[in-house]
Amino acid sequence: MKLMVEFDSDGVQYPNIAAAILRSGVMVNVERALIDGDEGWALLDVDDRDAGKFIAALTRKGVSIRIQKDAVSHNRTDCVDCGLCISICQKQVFSFDENWQLVVESDRCVLCGRCATYCPQRALSIQK
Amino acid sequence: MYKSIDEINERIRDGSVRVVSAEEMPDIVDELGVTGALREVDVVTTGTFGAMCSSGAFLNFGHPEIPIRMEKMWLNNVEAYAGVAAVDCYIGATQESTTRNAEYGGAHVIEDLISGKSVELHARAKGTDCYPRTSITNEFTIGELNQAIMVNPRNSYQSYNAAVNMSDRAIKTYMGYLLPSHRNITYSGAGCLSPLPNDPTLSVIGSGTPIFIGGANGVVVGEGTQSSPGSGFGTLMTSGNMKDMSPDFIRAATMTGYGVTMYVGVGIPIPLLNEEIVKHTAVRDEDLKTSIVDYGTPFRDRPVIREVTYAELKSGSVEIDGEEVRCSPLSSYKKAREVAAELKSRIENGSFTMALASRPIDSQKRNKPMAEKGYVYHVNEMMVSTFVTITGQESVKEAAKRLLKGETNHLPVIDAENRLIGIVTTYDVSKAFANDEQDMTVSEIMTKNVITIAPDAPVDFAARTLQQHNIGALVVIDASRHILGMLNSYDLGDLVGGRGRR
Ligand code: SF4
Ligand code: SF4
């Protein structure tokens, strides 16, 4: 699953992610991150079975953790099932079912926002 | 064996007509043979739902109490062409709003009207004795218009190139967003379900052919603009009453970074009159070829990367240079099927009858490119071929000397084989000096991602590239990254200003 971790000014002072990995022994993949002196966020991918353990190890002052669900929201009424988003997204979030209807598997999304920018019908939006 | 259009219409009237979609035809012909299929099936329905930039509508507003001869007009701030009589206009789908740019355009005005929304009209005129009024602002809905007639000058492409981007920068095109280094392919068209591939010789489709368009029962006007059936790229001019249309089959769209376009659902029924027609409707996606072309080059004659069938395109991945590239349409196949199905049900319930074309369309015609009369300058005519370079191992101090000696602001960095690997500018060098880094090597401070251009590119494209990246010079390189020259923005200045004078 994907975890959205946000750091406030205390949270950015300490190597929280590294410490949590060491403490829990759980491997995570940092998919996107933006951290500067005052605050920051990181999108982590962690195996569902290890998520509880990792979240426990990461829970500290200055760190807030949220399970990232429904990262992309898809407006069925506006969508025309053109499929342009399928090849634009490099995380294979989108595909067609056997009736050429768009299927969205939001859990693979890394919130890059590209699909929302380029959907010709403006039928996609990204949770922030 | 053959069948007449009257026989088919008789069956439509008595409810015994047999209609199938173009997708089902190949299997039917395989099973029953051509003669058997002609006996069993009367009409084949086709459908497509894709971006058709070349669309628009004629609107007539009726005369207000104090008459006006509208000369300039805007609908929801989108300019419409008013040079057609007093209270008429043509609203083109791709025209962008003066206030919301590409997020709202002519296509959105059309979709709003079809959805029953009210639209604001603003018009200006100089005023004449017979039309004294000089301006008008008014709200209207489609119901209040005398006519709202959609006319699509170019529609229902027979086939269209698939797009890829071989350059190393992402590009925004009417074919959607194309990732750099051929990481995605986009294509348009419904393949074997599309109208024209089912009648490539235009033996049935011509002026007057009844069609389904945007939800209305419409008509083929005739040959479409830019039509080139002789080379497999035929188009049709189509028309339909917007008052009968539905937003299910007309959708405004914005191709980000490109502009406004309109998705139009079009379906054409093919009456099976003889065996020749049956054979054409048995076409499969495997038989329909198109080319994947590189949209990363700025030329009209874009390089063809490979041939491909619609079957391969529809599979979702196509091989290029030994790599599987993800591929997706920008037209909707699901909607194309809905169009064909809706057309089928209208024929079956008797509300849509067949007619022969009143005039044929030339199926051999080929499209001509524009013959530009003015001279087009190319990069190699404007570049400077004397330039100084430096290698990555040399020091920043040396770079400073070289820049001074060469009286230039840009110093391309080359490797042992003289190939371009980076660039340093006077800014980079001054920055290094300011930070006491003059003993660093050039490769430590250079920009690796150099903006380059090919010698045969038109200078207008070079000017656009300079502007887009907000830089002062482009390195001109050949295919093996050897430097041929430098193109400076100040060399282009007067040319871009006074084209044609040298
Ligand atoms: S690009 Fe937009 S309209 Fe097209 S399938 Fe994706 S979500 Fe739907
Ligand atoms: S935001 Fe990026 S990763 Fe997420 S679905 Fe859209 S394109 Fe894919």
Side-chain angles (χ1 to χ4, degrees), chain A residues 71-72 85 88-94 108-116 124 126:
Chain A
V72 247
C85 50
I88 287 178
C89 172
Q90 293 291 288
K91 291 290 171 183
Q92 316 211 351
V93 167
F94 306 102
R108 282 199 276 263
C109 172
V110 297
L111 300 163
C112 75
R114 204 186 269 152
C115 59
L124 298 167
I126 302 301

Side-chain angles (χ1 to χ4, degrees), chain A residues 74 79-85 102 119-121 123-124:
Chain A
H74 176 225
C79 174
V80 295
D81 300 286
C82 68
L84 188 55
C85 50
L102 192 74
C119 164
Q121 300 294 335
L124 298 167

Side-chain angles (χ1 to χ4, degrees), chain A residues 76-94 96 98-102 114 116-122, chain B residues 49 103 111 172 175-177 179 183-187 251-257 263 314 326-335 337:
Chain A
R76 266 257 124 252
T77 323
D78 288 346
C79 174
V80 295
D81 300 286
C82 68
L84 188 55
C85 50
I86 296 175
S87 72
I88 287 178
C89 172
Q90 293 291 288
K91 291 290 171 183
Q92 316 211 351
V93 167
F94 306 102
F96 279 131
E98 68 283 2
N99 297 316
W100 295 86
Q101 179 163 314
L102 192 74
R114 204 186 269 152
T117 308
Y118 293 100
C119 164
Q121 300 294 335
R122 304 291 185 252
Chain B
F49 186 88
E103 287 306 307
E111 190 190 319
K172 301 158 195 170
M175 294 295 284
Y177 184 75
L179 295 155
R183 294 216 311 274
N184 68 337
I185 296 169
T186 61
Y187 68 96
R251 285 293 181 87
T254 301
M255 290 293 170
T256 308
Y263 278 62
K314 284 183 182 173
R326 276 157 67 76
C327 154
S328 66
L330 51 104
S331 51
S332 170
Y333 199 63
K334 179 166 171 270
K335 284 268 184 195
R337 278 182 172 168

Side-chain angles (χ1 to χ4, degrees), chain B residues 344-364:
Chain B
K344 177 176 157 146
S345 80
R346 287 187 191 184
I347 298 167
E348 285 172 342
N349 72 23
S351 60
F352 194 114
T353 50
M354 301 295 116
L356 289 175
S358 55
R359 268 185 218 293
I361 297 172
D362 179 0
S363 65
Q364 298 306 312

Side-chain angles (χ1 to χ4, degrees), chain B residues 19 24 27 53 62 79 82 148 153 162 182 191 199 254 259 307 344 363 372 414 445 451 453 464-466:
Chain B
V19 188
E24 303 167 85
D27 287 346
C53 285
E79 185 165 12
H182 60 80
D199 185 23
T254 301
E307 296 286 307
K344 177 176 157 146
S363 65
E372 253 177 285
I414 53 173
I445 68 154
I451 316 290
I453 193 141
R464 186 174 143 76
T465 310
L466 284 164

Side-chain angles (χ1 to χ4, degrees), chain B residues 392-403:
Chain B
Q393 294 78 44
E394 288 173 86
S395 69
V396 170
K397 211 164 178 173
E398 181 55 34
K401 282 189 204 154
R402 215 71 64 88
L403 282 165

